[in-house]
Amino acid sequence: MKIVVLSGGFCTERHVGLVSGSGVCRALREKGHQAIFVDMFMGLENYHGSLEDIFDAPDGLLEKVAIEETAPDLEAVRAARQDKSPSLLGKDVLKVCAMADAVFLAMHGANGEDGRIQATLDLVGVPYTGSGYLGSAMAMDKAVAKRIMESAGILTPRWREITYTAADVPALVQELPVPCVVKAVDGGS
């Protein structure tokens, strides 16, 4: 199969997605698929061959990537892109996705798990892995997901949604039970 492993993107979880995507692409290639690694935000800026031949790229367009200790500097990522457009889709991303038998979504965080890329691929008729846009959007918002699960009678750990400022943190430290987990309502790791 011709498979685009769509990864990276433009969010704070960019590095995690790039590492996931490169591992998936490598595994698919080892299984004999014509898989290529494509960063959703950067696109095919560094590919200089014919798009018709892209699935024959001997290295699958794999890049050396690693998870870093700090979130990526998104302004530096934006500045590094040759195409300075405001689009979150890099050069030829949708074109190459439309050429594939399937797109493997190996993305984390905003634009990858929140239903936006799923909706985009649905609109252009490209098959992809994972949940559709609505399920992805609902699952990405932890408060929405908790409310839906609770309304269906699915037990989840106790939770509460808190909107706060830095000035509220000392009071919250005293008020919240320990141990507890604090996460952004729409973020990941």
Side-chain angles (χ1 to χ4, degrees):
M1 286 182 72
K2 293 179 179 177
I3 303 171
V4 169
V5 178
L6 199 56
S7 186
F10 189 75
C11 72
T12 57
E13 296 182 64
R14 174 179 172 71
H15 296 140
V16 177
L18 291 170
V19 171
S20 295
S22 67
V24 167
C25 188
R26 199 169 285 107
L28 287 169
R29 292 178 65 76
E30 287 171 5
K31 293 291 183 185
H33 296 285
Q34 290 178 283
I36 58 170
F37 177 81
V38 176
D39 179 337
M40 185 179 95
F41 185 70
M42 292 299 188
L44 300 174
E45 287 187 336
N46 295 318
Y47 178 72
H48 302 292
S50 165
L51 273 185
E52 290 74 31
D53 300 328
I54 197 164
F55 290 98
D56 296 322
D59 60 356
L61 308 179
L62 283 164
E63 302 172 10
K64 185 175 180 177
V65 293
I67 297 176
E68 298 179 11
E69 287 187 30
T70 59
D73 176 347
L74 294 178
E75 289 314 308
V77 171
R78 184 175 293 283
R81 187 163 98 171
Q82 296 167 23
D83 171 2
K84 302 300 182 192
S85 81
S87 176
L88 296 177
L89 296 171
K91 180 179 185 271
D92 293 329
V93 168
L94 288 180
K95 283 182 187 175
V96 75
C97 286
M99 295 168 56
D101 296 315
V103 174
F104 191 109
L105 297 177
M107 301 178 65
H108 297 266
N111 310 312
E113 291 180 289
D114 63 5
R116 289 187 240 182
I117 189 62
Q118 293 85 345
T120 302
L121 293 173
D122 281 346
L123 287 172
V124 294
V126 174
Y128 56 88
T129 59
S131 299
Y133 71 92
L134 184 58
S136 296
M138 292 186 320
M140 186 67 174
D141 186 311
K142 293 170 191 64
V144 168
K146 287 283 203 171
R147 287 183 182 102
I148 290 170
M149 287 186 277
E150 286 176 348
S151 72
I154 299 169
L155 296 176
T156 68
R158 276 189 24 228
W159 71 284
R160 81 183 225 211
E161 186 174 7
I162 301 171
T163 302
Y164 64 93
T165 66
D168 300 321
V169 171
L172 288 171
V173 168
Q174 298 301 315
E175 176 186 335
L176 294 173
V178 177
C180 70
V181 175
V182 178
K183 290 189 84 164
V185 73
D186 61 354
S189 50

